Amino acid sequence: MTVRHHTHAIRLSTFTGAGLAAALSLAGCGLEPAGSFVPAAAPGSIQAIDGLPASAAITITSKNYTEALILGKMAVLAAKVAGFQVTDMSNVPGSVAVRELMLNGDVDFVWDYTGTGWLAYLGNEAGIPGERPQYEAVRDADLKNGITWLEPAKLNNTYAFAVRASAVPELNGITKLSEIKDLPLSERSFCVESEFNSRQDGFKPMLEEYNLTLGSADGVNRSNVKILDTGTIYAATARGACNFGEVYSTDGRIVALDLVVLEDDRAFFPAYNVAPVVRSETLKKYPQLQQIFAQISSKLTNSQQQTLNSRVDVDGEEPAFVAFDWMQAEGLITAPVK
């Protein structure tokens, strides 16, 4: 399985030196890295752009975790169907590297996350409450860097807590984080990773937001909190080692292990809505890109992406084929006539 992706500000991997030089070299000479394959596709609701020059070209990148790879392949398929010559620079290790490629003009497009833009790229210390205000803030602030954030999707890949579906009836039919305080003390059990447990915007502040105090007699017993490695939390939650496991809201293992994500009804966690991000210069040259990518982003949701991520992480399918199947099913593209 693919390890959880690192969209959050303090979790960025770095891609510098020889690795970044190689990526820039590929982009500069028009070559494509291994893994750039996508199936042949024909127009659906995404149509070839009338009057687009045969020389029209766009370079698309993605980060190197499952969700980003799937979204990146969607973008490649869409741009090819629209008539662009596409250089596929998918699978770049880390948000820092992707950002550098965008700022340097070596790539034109990436799917990225509003929280990542605001916290990691623009250096703010805290997110802005609300998905729309967070998007508008990063959109407006990044224009000065020559980067345009197009309309975001409903897909919001942020921190969340999940419970095994079979336990929901036993937990008073729980659906929201605010309902944890109504459970018996013994049922308020959690699995979290060490970083989240110690973050200033992590576990303890989250509990306090929901009127629970770690270590208090009427809050959450410290003995009911298990500190686990990132990759083991999903399975531990599924087998009942704890009732509530810290997860990412679009992880494919949520579907595979029959977990249910609780609603963050006080909006504690920062918004990480995915959005099409384009170099402003490229968008000015090809304004049709906005309408093309809007057709995709308008259909992206957490539950849909959980299913797609699961097909890769659990079932072992290739991101390019998962992207193609979904886009075809949604009518965005069609299979070419043989």
Side-chain angles (χ1 to χ4, degrees):
M1 289 184 191
T2 301
V3 177
R4 285 179 175 184
H5 71 78
H6 303 320
T7 62
H8 300 273
I10 65 172
R11 297 175 146 205
L12 299 177
S13 61
T14 304
F15 184 46
T16 56
L20 181 55
L24 295 175
S25 176
L26 284 171
C29 67
L31 297 177
E32 297 185 5
S36 63
F37 167 80
V38 293
S45 63
I46 297 174
Q47 293 282 315
I49 298 172
D50 290 337
L52 188 71
S55 61
I58 185 172
T59 300
I60 292 171
T61 192
S62 81
K63 302 172 194 180
N64 64 338
Y65 51 83
T66 295
E67 182 168 295
L69 291 169
I70 294 171
L71 293 171
K73 296 306 180 183
M74 290 180 189
V76 170
L77 286 162
K80 285 190 172 185
V81 163
F84 288 93
Q85 300 294 321
V86 180
T87 299
D88 183 355
M89 289 291 296
S90 300
N91 204 28
V92 171
S95 295
V96 170
V98 165
R99 178 67 169 183
E100 189 169 348
L101 289 168
M102 288 287 288
L103 291 176
N104 289 345
D106 294 296
V107 299
D108 300 291
F109 176 90
V110 67
W111 292 98
D112 219 324
Y113 299 83
T114 55
T116 304
W118 185 249
L119 298 170
Y121 303 155
L122 298 174
N124 295 287
E125 294 185 358
I128 294 176
E131 294 183 13
R132 188 71 194 178
Q134 179 64 90
Y135 161 69
E136 291 177 351
V138 72
R139 176 198 64 190
D140 296 347
D142 223 8
L143 283 173
K144 68 179 183 295
N145 297 315
I147 303 294
T148 298
W149 291 70
L150 301 178
E151 283 293 308
K154 292 181 180 178
L155 189 162
N156 179 18
N157 192 356
T158 188
Y159 282 116
F161 276 86
V163 58
R164 63 194 186 283
S166 61
V168 170
E170 304 165 10
L171 299 171
N172 298 336
I174 191 168
T175 61
K176 303 174 182 179
L177 287 175
S178 61
E179 296 169 341
I180 294 176
K181 70 180 186 304
D182 300 326
L183 297 173
L185 188 64
S186 61
E187 300 291 356
R188 302 174 195 170
S189 58
F190 297 84
C191 293
V192 298
E193 58 185 337
S194 58
E195 178 196 308
F196 183 74
N197 184 55
S198 60
R199 284 172 63 109
Q200 292 183 347
D201 60 348
F203 185 51
K204 185 177 179 180
M206 185 276 292
L207 291 177
E208 291 173 352
E209 177 68 26
Y210 284 97
N211 299 320
L212 294 165
T213 302
L214 183 62
S216 70
D218 59 351
V220 173
N221 286 336
R222 293 185 184 275
S223 60
N224 280 350
V225 179
K226 297 182 184 299
I227 309 300
L228 303 175
D229 291 337
T230 298
T232 64
I233 291 176
Y234 293 80
T237 306
R239 69 171 182 266
C242 58
N243 283 329
F244 307 106
E246 170 216 341
V247 300
Y248 279 105
S249 56
T250 63
D251 196 293
R253 287 168 288 187
I254 292 170
V255 173
L257 296 172
D258 198 23
L259 302 177
V260 176
V261 174
L262 298 180
E263 178 187 349
D264 177 18
D265 49 322
R266 293 192 177 178
F268 172 79
F269 295 117
Y272 282 84
N273 292 88
V274 75
V277 183
V278 191
R279 282 185 51 79
S280 301
E281 183 180 345
T282 303
L283 187 62
K284 183 177 180 180
K285 188 175 183 180
Y286 304 117
Q288 303 94 331
L289 289 170
Q290 181 169 350
Q291 191 271 339
I292 289 168
F293 292 119
Q295 292 189 60
I296 299 174
S297 58
S298 65
K299 297 177 181 292
L300 298 174
T301 66
N302 281 16
S303 59
Q304 158 265 322
Q305 197 63 43
Q306 287 170 8
T307 300
L308 299 187
N309 292 345
S310 180
R311 287 180 59 181
V312 175
D313 284 339
V314 179
D315 301 334
E317 298 183 50
E318 288 294 326
F321 289 108
V322 172
F324 179 92
D325 288 350
W326 178 79
M327 293 180 73
Q328 184 181 29
E330 293 291 333
L332 297 165
I333 60 175
T334 59
V337 178
K338 296 182 179 179

